[in-house]
Amino acid sequence: MGDESKCDASITVSDIKTNDSGRYRCEVTVYPQIKHDIGYLQLNVKSPSELVVVTPDKMNAMAGTTFILPCSYTCTISGVTHTLVEWFRIIDGREERIYKYTAGESSHWPLQATWVGDVSKCDASITVSDIQTHDSGRYHCEVTVFPQNIQYIGYLQLIVHPRTDLAIVTPDAKDATVGSTALLLCFYTCTITGIRHTLVEWFRTIGGHDEKVYKITHRKRSLRPMQVTWVGDESTCNVSITISDIQTHDAGRYRCEVTIYRHDKPSMQDIGYLQLNVHNEPEPRDATPTPTPTSAPAPSPVAAIVLGVIAAVLFAALVAVGVVFCCKGRTRPREPEAPPQEMQPMNPVG
């Protein structure tokens, strides 16, 4: 189901079975450059009667905020009477339960946890308020359904950054079409004090090499090969850029680097990555409507001529019959025949 014009090499596997689980590899080689790369994917196929819990692998949070720990599970098991949800945090190799939900009742443990899930929608998420750096660690969400007594666990790594740390936030990927203007977002924390000046650099990685596409330092900006425009605002910790008239060769992995220099303190640096995918414009569809006849079609000229000839023949025959009937039994000297008159052309429309 892929499309080489859009660099899409996807496939589907129909009637999938549990024994189709495994590690899959997609290899792409382009010629004549003979460039080759590989992507890996782990496929887990579960029976419809099995319970599967889904959580993100890793999440980042800022200290002092309220953060959601998402957890969802399969809704394909029939006959479930009630559900038990338990959240644990692993500290120094020990498990500490921080939340428990069962039979519509919830109980809280050391963290400021709040239930935001909905078992009718197979959602077992919670939020943790006023989260701190010491709350970093490995969390897991355990779901048990009864009376089947089926249990499954989802794991999540939570990293809580201090408010005084430099942390960059960028989206994982950005999609754009050829000829458009792509906005590459990048933000960083605004809680750092004693800043002398800030250095912002954007890079694009091509063939294992870094190409600098933008740089701003001491409020001086320098542009590089592409049509890059600064749309950020350092007062709001926004260091975003745009790329105009983007083309397919502009696709790649971009890196946003922010370095903060402080008075009498070490400098701080963080990096955010963004994958830019550039697609061709979709082909325009033919929007011309097919005309629908609203009345009977007019007869063609050929049909009109044929009808006219038939009418003329019938009229001549009727005239001949009338002459014979009127003149039968009368004797009259035969007059010489008049020369035939030239036939007038018929009206082609009847």
Side-chain angles (χ1 to χ4, degrees):
M1 58 176 291
D3 186 348
E4 289 182 76
S5 66
K6 298 179 181 178
C7 301
D8 183 357
S10 305
I11 62 171
T12 60
V13 183
S14 59
D15 191 25
I16 203 162
K17 305 295 183 185
T18 53
N19 55 16
D20 294 324
S21 297
R23 189 168 178 80
Y24 287 72
R25 185 172 78 244
C26 170
E27 294 190 5
V28 178
T29 306
V30 294
Y31 299 91
Q33 298 86 350
I34 313 183
K35 293 185 176 181
H36 182 82
D37 199 14
I38 301 174
Y40 293 92
L41 182 149
Q42 178 66 37
L43 177 64
N44 301 313
V45 183
K46 301 292 183 180
S47 169
S49 61
E50 290 189 66
L51 176 66
V52 179
V53 173
V54 179
T55 56
D57 293 332
K58 184 175 69 173
M59 301 191 74
N60 293 284
M62 191 65 61
T65 61
T66 297
F67 197 75
I68 184 170
L69 302 180
C71 177
S72 60
Y73 57 96
T74 51
C75 279
T76 54
I77 303 174
S78 58
V80 176
T81 57
H82 64 280
T83 305
L84 168 65
V85 177
E86 294 178 288
W87 275 91
F88 294 87
R89 178 177 60 175
I90 302 174
I91 299 179
D92 298 329
R94 297 179 295 104
E95 285 189 352
E96 176 188 34
R97 183 161 56 186
I98 61 173
Y99 198 87
K100 180 181 179 182
Y101 175 97
T102 177
E105 300 175 357
S106 57
S107 56
H108 302 257
W109 264 269
L111 290 179
Q112 301 291 327
T114 304
W115 173 259
V116 293
D118 185 348
V119 292
S120 67
K121 299 178 181 179
C122 301
D123 184 358
S125 305
I126 62 172
T127 59
V128 180
S129 59
D130 193 25
I131 201 164
Q132 301 298 324
T133 53
H134 58 257
D135 295 324
S136 298
R138 189 166 178 80
Y139 290 72
H140 65 258
C141 170
E142 291 189 7
V143 178
T144 308
V145 293
F146 298 95
Q148 297 86 348
N149 198 25
I150 303 174
Q151 184 185 71
Y152 199 86
I153 302 174
Y155 293 91
L156 182 152
Q157 182 70 35
L158 177 64
I159 303 173
V160 182
H161 300 275
R163 297 184 71 87
T164 56
D165 278 357
L166 173 63
I168 286 184
V169 179
T170 57
D172 293 332
K174 169 71 177 179
D175 290 293
T177 55
V178 170
S180 66
T181 298
L183 173 62
L184 306 187
L185 293 172
C186 183
F187 298 87
Y188 62 95
T189 49
C190 276
T191 54
I192 303 170
T193 59
I195 297 177
R196 189 168 79 248
H197 66 270
T198 304
L199 167 66
V200 178
E201 294 177 290
W202 277 90
F203 296 88
R204 179 177 60 169
T205 304
I206 299 179
H209 300 286
D210 285 339
E211 175 191 31
K212 187 180 295 184
V213 297
Y214 197 87
K215 178 181 179 181
I216 176 171
T217 180
H218 296 290
R219 301 194 178 276
K220 295 181 180 179
R221 307 166 188 174
S222 59
L223 303 182
R224 298 296 173 179
M226 294 183 297
Q227 302 292 330
V228 178
T229 303
W230 170 262
V231 294
D233 183 353
E234 289 181 83
S235 65
T236 58
C237 301
N238 180 1
V239 290
S240 306
I241 61 172
T242 61
I243 303 175
S244 59
D245 191 25
I246 202 161
Q247 303 298 320
T248 52
H249 58 258
D250 295 325
R253 188 167 177 81
Y254 287 73
R255 187 171 80 247
C256 171
E257 291 190 4
V258 177
T259 306
I260 292 179
Y261 299 91
R262 297 182 293 177
H263 298 282
D264 303 325
K265 293 182 179 179
S267 62
M268 307 169 66
Q269 184 186 66
D270 197 21
I271 300 173
Y273 294 92
L274 182 150
Q275 178 67 37
L276 177 62
N277 304 310
V278 182
H279 308 283
N280 291 319
E281 286 281 357
E283 295 184 1
R285 296 182 179 179
D286 185 7
T288 305
T290 303
T292 303
T294 58
S295 61
S300 65
V302 176
I305 292 173
V306 173
L307 292 175
V309 171
I310 294 174
V313 172
L314 291 176
F315 179 76
L318 291 174
V319 171
V321 171
V323 170
V324 171
F325 177 79
C326 293
C327 300
K328 187 176 180 181
R330 298 175 62 184
T331 304
R332 187 176 180 178
R334 186 174 184 180
E335 297 179 359
E337 296 181 357
Q341 296 181 356
E342 184 178 355
M343 181 177 291
Q344 296 297 324
M346 289 187 294
N347 187 349
V349 295

